């Protein structure tokens, strides 16, 4: 059983909602990212999403765009992100998901990358701009390496496609709470609960809800109807505000605890 | 028209928009449903004679089609070789071929009941064409344009605003066409229910590359008839500049089955071979960043990128060619050898701009100007019995100020 599935089984057994923070590799620098992975694991993260910076992040709002730009200015690459995850894996048991746009992965080479991801101790991969129809060979590479392909579903996704995506996905399904890019919003959209209900009708996989979740109230709201909440921009924004402070990692740990308190 | 379609069917993508390994749909999941909806509507419209009649009516009465195929006598005499013809898309309404696609897609948007249209623009020609057709039909229009291009194309920004469009300046990334498309895609994902995204070139996710090609193929259909009636034979070579590649594919496509006709695309060579100095996606130079297959803006094609798969910066004196990827059908035609791709430098483009203006009294857009010097070189190798067609895709008024400055600086 994959680390991700074990984690969700454990959460279900305890009757708890899952908490999934997102950070961008190399923001503000790689050494801090490694510290942050360890800090997030001890601060209650059930799974951690590690973003690969990309020059053209079309699915992201301004906060994560700026994080990507900071990391790229530092010369951070996919290989750096994998190395960073591998070093953290020596210290933490928390499942990790690599979160990327497709071009850097394609350039690295699908088969080679799947092996490198596995070797780094990462458990699943989510590719923002890769839909299952274009991902057949990629999915096979992940399956062969016992990695979970995580797919996004959106409020605009038809029931027919939901079933198709659920059939290809492993680990969990990532439900986008509303149409739009990543970023903080005032309230959890009603769309999200309806989408989760539609996914449940076609799949037994755990469901995480993300995009626009930024407060502990919103996290609790998501836990009411889904298995986990993903928080990205709120944490990345906090990293940006702390601006490479010496105690950045521990302060992000505190911030994360404030969001994930049950 | 049906006969024409069957002739060109050899460069048809599969039902998911793949030309071989190129094209397809590499998009965030949220966009799949609207792209499916658009594909369905386009497929229906494509088979609907009333749609084509309405489009043809607008092309004639509003856009000024057919545009002339003009025998450029002094340019031909200058080359002392083949007879050079210019397909005068600069005479189409709003001053470039971009109107062909804008009219077609706005008719689709109306069929779909969309009241709000968004678009990206590089040089501003697509933005002006879109704003124009939106004014014609009373649709709300928002144009995304990189800050660098806003600076380079001041006149077109004013024209768009005059037409009632909102022009959003994009300050992220390289502040050019690539970033304008990023921002337009983000805006579409956010307002997917009421907004039509009117993509301006033969790129992006399926069905855009196919749809834009279909709307631009009017260029090549007219040119084919015109050259046959003027010279009684097919041309030796077709030349067109290639940014995303919509004017080129529009000219080339109706000639694809005419295997003796050479198809030549001209990319922007910028000011050097190093990555970041040009926009030559098919470049084979070691440090050029070219010759690599990748994914940008929803389609698989040749994409300029660095050794880590980050999209490369590009440079061209012309905003409209300053783009890191090429339309997927061009990638396909490149790999199967049906079309060839060369490049012309910034300096060649400026020389072409001057030469065409002084010899023919026709000032081409800086994008189009890239084709002039290569056309003369090709013509020199041929005889007057051979003809070549240059797609004069747009007029250069918009560039006059910039060129004046560049020539002063030289």
């Amino acid at each position: 059983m994959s680390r991700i599935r074990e984690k969700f089984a454990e959460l279900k057994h305890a009757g708890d909602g899952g908490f999934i923070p997102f950070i961008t590799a190399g923001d503000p620098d790689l050494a801090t990212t490694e510290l942050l992975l360890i800090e997030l694991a001890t601060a209650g993260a059930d799974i951690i999403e590690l973003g690969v910076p990309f020059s053209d992040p079309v699915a992201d709002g301004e906060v994560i765009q700026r994080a990507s730009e900071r990391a790229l200015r530092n010369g951070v690459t996919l290989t750096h992100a994998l190395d960073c995850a591998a070093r953290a894996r020596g210290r933490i048991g928390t499942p990790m998901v690599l979160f990327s746009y497709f071009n850097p992965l394609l350039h690295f080479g699908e088969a080679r990358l799947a092996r490198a991801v596995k070797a780094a101790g990462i458990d699943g991969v989510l590719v923002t701009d890769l839909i299952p129809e274009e991902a057949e060979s990629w999915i096979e590479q992940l399956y062969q390496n016992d990695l979970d392909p995580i797919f996004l579903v959106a409020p605009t996704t038809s029931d027919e496609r939901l079933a198709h995506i659920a059939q290809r996905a492993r680990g969990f399904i990532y439900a986008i709470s509303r149409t739009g890019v990543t970023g903080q919003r005032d309230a959890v959209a009603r769309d999200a609960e309806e989408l989760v209900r539609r996914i449940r009708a076609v799949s037994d996989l755990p469901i995480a809800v993300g995009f626009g979740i930024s407060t502990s109230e919103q996290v609790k709201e998501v836990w009411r109807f889904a298995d986990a909440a993903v928080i990205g921009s709120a944490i990345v924004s906090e990293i940006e505000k702390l601006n490479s402070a010496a105690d950045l990692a521990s302060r992000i740990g505190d911030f994360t605890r404030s969001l994930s308190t049950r | 028209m049906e006969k024409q379609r069957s002739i060109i069917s050899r460069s048809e993508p599969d039902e998911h928009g793949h030309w071989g390994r190129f094209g397809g749909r590499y998009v965030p999941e949220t966009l799949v449903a609207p792209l499916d909806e658009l594909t369905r509507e386009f497929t229906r419209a494509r088979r609907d004679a009333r749609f084509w009649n309405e489009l043809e009516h607008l092309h004639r009465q509003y856009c000024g089609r057919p545009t002339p195929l003009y025998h450029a006598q002094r340019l031909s005499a200058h080359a002392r070789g083949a007879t050079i013809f210019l397909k005068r898309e600069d005479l189409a309404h709003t001053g470039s071929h971009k109107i062909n696609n804008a009219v077609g897609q706005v008719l689709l948007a109306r069929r779909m009941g969309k009241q709000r249209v968004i678009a990206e623009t590089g040089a501003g020609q697509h933005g002006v064409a879109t704003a124009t057709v939106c004014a014609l039909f009373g649709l709300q229009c928002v144009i995304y344009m990189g800050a660098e291009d806003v600076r380079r194309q001041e006149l077109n920004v004013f024209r768009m605003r005059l037409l009632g469009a909102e022009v959003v300046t994009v300050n992220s990334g390289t502040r050019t066409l690539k970033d304008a498309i990023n921002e337009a895609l983000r805006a579409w994902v956010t307002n997917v229910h009421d907004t039509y995204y009117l993509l301006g070139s033969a790129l992006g996710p399926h069905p855009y590359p196919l749809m834009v090609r279909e709307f631009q193929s009017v260029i090549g259909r007219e040119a084919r008839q015109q050259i046959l009636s003027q010279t009684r034979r097919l041309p030796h070579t077709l030349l067109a500049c290639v940014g995303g590649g919509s004017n080129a594919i529009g000219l080339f496509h109706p000639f694809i089955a005419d295997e003796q006709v050479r198809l030549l695309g001209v990319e922007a060579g910028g000011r050097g071979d190093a990555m970041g100095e040009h926009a030559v996606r098919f470049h084979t130079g070691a440090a050029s960043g070219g010759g690599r297959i990748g994914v940008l803006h929803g389609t698989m094609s040749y994409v300029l990128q660095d050794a880590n798969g980050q999209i490369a910066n590009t440079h061209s004196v012309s905003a409209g060619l300053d783009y890191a990827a090429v339309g997927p059908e061009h990638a396909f035609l490149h790999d199967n050898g049906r079309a060839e791709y060369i490049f012309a430098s910034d300096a060649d483009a400026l020389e072409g701009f001057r030469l065409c203006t002084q010899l023919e009294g026709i000032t081409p857009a800086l994008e189009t100007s890239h084709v002039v010097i290569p056309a003369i070189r090709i013509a020199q190798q041929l005889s007057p019995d051979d003809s070549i067609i240059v797609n004069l895709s747009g007029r250069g008024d918009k560039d006059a100020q910039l060129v004046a400055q560049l020539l002063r600086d030289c």
Side-chain angles (χ1 to χ4, degrees):
Chain A
M1 194 188 267
S2 80
R3 268 196 210 100
I4 292 172
R5 285 179 63 191
E6 272 174 33
K7 174 56 76 176
F8 276 106
E10 193 183 297
L11 285 167
K12 189 171 185 181
H13 186 73
D16 283 338
F19 183 81
I20 309 180
F22 166 96
I23 56 172
T24 299
D27 170 36
D29 56 66
L30 284 163
T32 308
T33 300
E34 191 181 332
L35 290 177
L36 279 170
L37 289 172
I38 295 161
E39 186 68 36
L40 290 171
T42 55
D46 295 301
I47 297 172
I48 303 170
E49 288 184 354
L50 183 62
V52 176
F54 183 53
S55 53
D56 294 84
V58 295
D60 284 302
E62 288 180 17
V63 169
I64 294 177
Q65 286 177 44
R66 285 198 299 270
S68 243
E69 284 174 18
R70 286 193 293 273
L72 290 175
R73 270 200 300 276
N74 295 338
V76 173
T77 66
L78 173 57
T79 307
H80 289 135
L82 296 176
D83 290 349
C84 193
R87 284 194 300 272
R89 176 51 79 219
R91 311 270 301 275
I92 63 173
T94 310
M96 288 188 282
V97 172
L98 193 74
F99 200 104
S100 183
Y101 289 84
F102 191 43
N103 199 61
L105 310 188
L106 183 66
H107 193 275
F108 197 94
E110 291 182 352
R112 177 176 162 233
L113 180 64
R115 290 192 299 271
V117 166
K118 185 68 185 176
I122 291 170
D123 306 286
V125 184
L126 191 160
V127 188
T128 318
D129 55 351
L130 192 63
I131 57 176
E133 289 87 336
E134 301 285 5
E136 285 306 318
S137 61
W138 173 237
I139 292 170
E140 283 311 313
Q141 293 296 341
L142 294 182
Y143 286 172
Q144 279 173 28
N145 287 279
D146 292 317
L147 294 163
D148 291 329
I150 318 285
F151 286 104
L152 297 167
V153 300
T156 53
T157 307
S158 68
D159 287 344
E160 189 190 348
R161 275 184 63 74
L162 278 181
H164 175 70
I165 294 169
Q167 195 247 323
R168 306 303 285 150
R170 291 197 185 158
F172 65 95
I173 290 177
Y174 187 134
I176 298 173
S177 69
R178 68 179 73 209
T179 60
V181 294
T182 58
Q184 305 180 28
R185 306 288 198 290
D186 292 337
V188 178
R190 288 213 186 86
D191 287 357
E193 190 168 357
E194 167 62 13
L195 176 59
V196 169
R197 190 192 61 71
R198 291 199 293 129
I199 301 167
R200 299 262 194 238
V202 295
S203 174
D204 295 328
L205 283 171
I207 301 167
V209 171
F211 280 41
I213 316 293
S214 59
T215 65
S216 73
E217 289 71 31
Q218 289 172 342
V219 170
K220 290 194 182 79
E221 166 74 6
V222 167
W223 284 343
R224 200 174 51 70
F225 59 86
D227 303 298
V230 183
I231 296 222
S233 296
I235 291 173
V236 173
S237 177
E238 207 60 23
I239 293 172
E240 183 174 42
K241 276 185 223 153
L242 290 170
N243 192 22
S244 306
D247 58 348
L248 184 146
S250 67
R251 285 167 74 176
I252 292 299
D254 292 342
F255 180 68
T256 305
R257 267 182 282 270
S258 77
L259 290 169
S260 63
T261 309
R262 294 197 166 90
Chain B
M1 193 167 277
E2 277 312 312
K3 191 177 166 212
Q4 190 68 35
R5 286 223 191 87
S6 66
I7 291 169
I8 62 183
S9 64
R10 291 175 8 173
S11 189
E12 278 295 282
D14 72 15
E15 63 168 323
H16 301 294
H18 300 103
W19 282 269
R21 67 182 298 190
F22 302 110
R25 250 186 213 170
Y26 295 84
V27 291
E29 173 62 28
T30 307
L31 291 181
V32 173
L35 287 167
D36 277 343
E37 185 193 359
L38 180 59
T39 305
R40 274 194 302 274
E41 195 61 42
F42 170 64
T43 307
R44 273 200 291 265
R46 205 179 173 192
R47 295 195 209 104
D48 181 352
R50 276 176 312 178
F51 176 81
W52 290 104
N53 288 342
E54 191 179 359
L55 183 60
E56 200 185 312
H57 174 79
L58 282 166
H59 274 167
R60 280 181 186 282
Q61 302 298 325
Y62 188 70
C63 305
R65 305 206 69 88
T67 58
L69 183 72
Y70 165 73
H71 175 195
Q73 295 188 34
R74 293 194 68 207
L75 211 52
S76 303
H78 177 84
R80 284 193 241 159
T83 306
I84 299 172
F85 288 85
L86 305 178
K87 179 61 175 162
R88 298 289 308 277
E89 292 300 299
D90 60 315
L91 295 178
H93 183 42
T94 70
S96 84
H97 73 289
K98 292 293 186 189
I99 194 80
N100 304 331
N101 170 54
V103 168
Q105 287 203 49
V106 163
L107 289 185
L108 269 184
R110 279 164 55 84
R111 282 171 72 107
M112 295 168 79
K114 307 277 185 187
Q115 292 296 315
R116 184 171 182 273
V117 170
I118 61 171
E120 81 296 338
T121 198
Q125 291 303 102
H126 174 58
V128 167
T130 301
T132 297
V133 186
C134 286
L136 176 67
F137 288 105
L139 300 175
Q140 191 192 341
C141 180
V142 183
I143 305 291
Y144 294 86
M145 189 168 186
E148 172 65 11
D149 294 336
V150 167
R151 184 188 66 77
R152 285 192 280 195
Q153 303 288 346
E154 212 178 333
L155 177 64
N156 276 342
V157 174
F158 174 73
R159 288 169 77 193
M160 288 184 269
R161 289 191 170 134
L162 188 64
L163 288 158
E166 180 191 345
V167 179
V168 177
T169 303
V170 177
N171 280 303
S172 57
T174 57
R175 304 174 179 194
T176 60
L177 178 58
K178 170 172 86 78
D179 311 283
I181 298 177
N182 288 343
E183 211 52 41
L185 283 168
R186 290 181 190 120
W188 195 30
V189 123
T190 306
N191 301 292
V192 75
H193 296 292
D194 68 343
T195 298
Y196 183 95
Y197 180 23
L198 207 164
L199 190 56
S201 195
L203 44 86
H206 178 62
Y208 286 105
L210 173 64
M211 188 164 71
V212 174
R213 179 198 85 195
E214 286 296 279
F215 292 143
Q216 292 295 0
S217 290
V218 67
I219 302 171
R221 284 197 301 272
E222 287 176 7
R224 197 171 180 283
Q225 275 180 4
Q226 289 165 322
I227 197 77
L228 287 174
S229 90
Q230 290 183 41
T231 70
R232 310 270 161 221
R233 54 193 279 206
L234 286 166
H236 185 282
T237 298
L238 310 178
L239 285 108
C241 65
V242 182
S246 71
N247 90 79
I249 203 69
L251 176 65
F252 292 174
H253 202 263
F255 290 90
I256 281 179
D258 302 318
E259 283 177 18
Q260 70 273 38
V261 178
R262 187 179 179 201
L263 311 178
L264 202 54
V266 183
E267 296 184 280
R271 56 195 169 203
D273 291 329
M275 190 177 81
E277 297 296 304
H278 63 88
V280 185
R281 288 64 51 100
F282 296 119
H283 208 305
T284 51
S288 70
R292 292 169 181 170
I293 291 166
V295 165
L296 179 64
H297 295 144
T299 192
M300 185 174 284
S301 186
Y302 281 84
V303 180
L304 285 163
Q305 53 190 301
D306 71 11
N308 299 301
Q310 301 296 335
I311 306 307
N313 290 344
T314 51
H315 163 80
S316 169
V317 69
S318 66
L321 303 185
D322 200 351
Y323 183 63
V326 66
E329 193 171 355
H330 285 293
F332 175 73
L333 295 174
H334 172 271
D335 277 19
N336 70 22
R338 179 64 191 92
E340 300 158 68
Y341 297 84
I342 57 174
F343 57 88
S345 67
D346 282 356
D348 283 343
L350 288 169
E351 177 59 11
F353 184 88
R354 190 189 62 78
L355 201 65
C356 190
T357 303
Q358 293 182 353
L359 290 178
E360 296 291 345
I362 295 168
T363 303
L366 272 176
E367 291 76 16
T368 314
S369 298
H370 283 76
V371 188
V372 178
I373 300 298
I376 290 169
R377 286 189 197 127
I378 300 286
Q380 282 166 346
Q381 298 156 16
L382 303 173
S383 79
D385 290 342
D386 296 315
S387 62
I388 66 176
I389 298 178
V390 169
N391 197 0
L392 205 93
S393 53
R395 58 192 279 171
D397 308 46
K398 69 182 177 65
D399 298 311
Q401 212 175 354
L402 181 72
V403 173
Q405 174 129 32
L406 288 170
L407 293 179
R408 233 186 349 261
D409 292 349
C410 284

